[in-house]
Amino acid sequence: MPLAQRSAGCRLHVLSEEEVAQVRSVELDGRLQWVRVGPDLCDVARLDEAADLFYDADDVLCQ
């Protein structure tokens, strides 16, 4: 998929089912929003929240 440049105003790009199946990741304003994990597109913010549950900065093994 080509990268689109953002500009003032609203824009919407609707993908077909076939196009969505080819998407590896989605960025919005230069930030990664969704990434393909297996057959699904996953919300990166949710993945970060889940990782934070298992990461303890004070844990000696994590340093």
Side-chain angles (χ1 to χ4, degrees):
M1 295 272 142
L3 295 176
Q5 296 296 319
R6 302 255 323 181
S7 59
C10 296
R11 289 187 179 187
L12 177 67
H13 184 118
V14 178
L15 300 176
S16 69
E17 241 182 276
E18 293 81 22
E19 290 174 314
V20 170
Q22 296 175 7
V23 171
R24 292 185 185 164
S25 62
V26 177
E27 288 186 7
L28 180 61
D29 293 335
R31 279 190 66 194
L32 186 61
Q33 298 294 314
W34 295 280
V35 66
R36 176 135 340 255
V37 176
D40 302 313
L41 283 174
C42 296
D43 185 333
V44 172
R46 297 271 179 146
L47 288 174
D48 286 342
E49 289 172 8
D52 287 344
L53 293 173
F54 297 101
Y55 175 75
D56 183 0
D58 296 329
D59 189 350
V60 177
L61 296 176
C62 292
Q63 295 178 0

